[in-house]
Amino acid sequence: MSTVLVWREQFQKLYAKYSFYIIRILQFALGIAVFGMINSNIGFLKIASTSICTIGLALICAFLPLGVMTLIATILILAHMYTLSLGLMLITGVFFLLMYIFYLRFVPVQAWLILLTAVGFACKIPFAIVIGIGLLGTPLYLISAVCGTFTFYMVHIVKISSTSFKGEAAHNLLVMVMKFVKQFFSNKEMILMMVIVIVCGLLVYGLRTRSIDHAWKIATVAGVLTAVALSVIGNVVFNIHIAYPSMLIDGILAIIVGLLFEVLFLSVDYSRTEYLEFEDDEYHYYVKAVPKVAVTAPEKNVKQITGQTNDAKNDEMKSIEQNDKQETTNNYGRNERAEDLLLTRSLNKELGIDDTVKK
């Protein structure tokens, strides 16, 4: 655990230092996923479906706000729809217009969630997206998630029914629009997934904001189990063919995402929980304080040592030994002369021939 926390501290320092480049790379990857998903599913306009166009659009959107990426993705979808059928483009444009009216009314800065949710459904990992939104967001974020679900299934329905819409005459425009609307809103899988997004998102958000120990873990597991249970019920009751292996893989990945988010954004030590009680003139407070787990990343100190050859080291050692011997000899000689001088003076004094005493 301490190793993971050290990695988290190092990642935070790295992000603080290179945040501009990291954000650009993430936006470019999201653009590749979004435009690639659109072109691979409804790539009716051949010029826009090329790899060069996909990479070029992603590169441009990497340096622009995410709202611009959402707008370009909408225009690309409408261009593909126009190539397939004019009536289909008109009804799709109306759906997008209504969706953006409600979207811009509530969460105008969460455009990236629409794109991320659509990509999550395309990659068959919607549970992981919902768990992440419930842990890090608010209930308003679910509006963007529902819009992303709506967009994905609209593209998916056009993909599987493109042959029935292609080449419709102008006088059959109303008939084609009514057929598309009926087919779209009678899609039981889309309705089930919207219910799962709303119910699981609210459940995860409600549990992780409770004052209980390990709230994030409980919220993650409860959200995944609820999503799996609703999917199984939908398969049985509404005869929806959601693959169980992909459902299981998505659930496991969602649990991993929840645990990873807890380490990155919460990481508290419940064993040192404290309960405080105090009051002021207007309120009486009961506070539960849970300390965060903080680990300082170890810093490496590099000590430079000047390299020397063996001969130079040997010469230096010999020089030091010779100096020590010479100093010892000098000290010994000075001590011996001092002792002789004291002995001579003592004998001269006893014999009465002390030079220092003269009459």
Side-chain angles (χ1 to χ4, degrees), residues 37 41 117-118 121-122 147-157:
M37 180 199 71
N41 284 276
T117 304
F121 274 95
C147 291
T149 306
F150 182 91
T151 303
F152 168 76
Y153 278 99
M154 183 166 56
V155 172
H156 180 68
I157 290 172

Side-chain angles (χ1 to χ4, degrees), residues 54 116 191 195 243 249 269 312:
T54 301
L116 188 62
I191 297 174
V195 171
I249 295 173
D269 186 4

Side-chain angles (χ1 to χ4, degrees), residues 15 21-32 62 66 69:
Y15 179 80
Y21 303 102
I22 294 175
I23 292 175
R24 301 286 85 77
I25 292 173
L26 292 178
Q27 285 190 208
F28 177 74
L30 180 61
I32 289 289
L66 287 172
M69 184 185 295

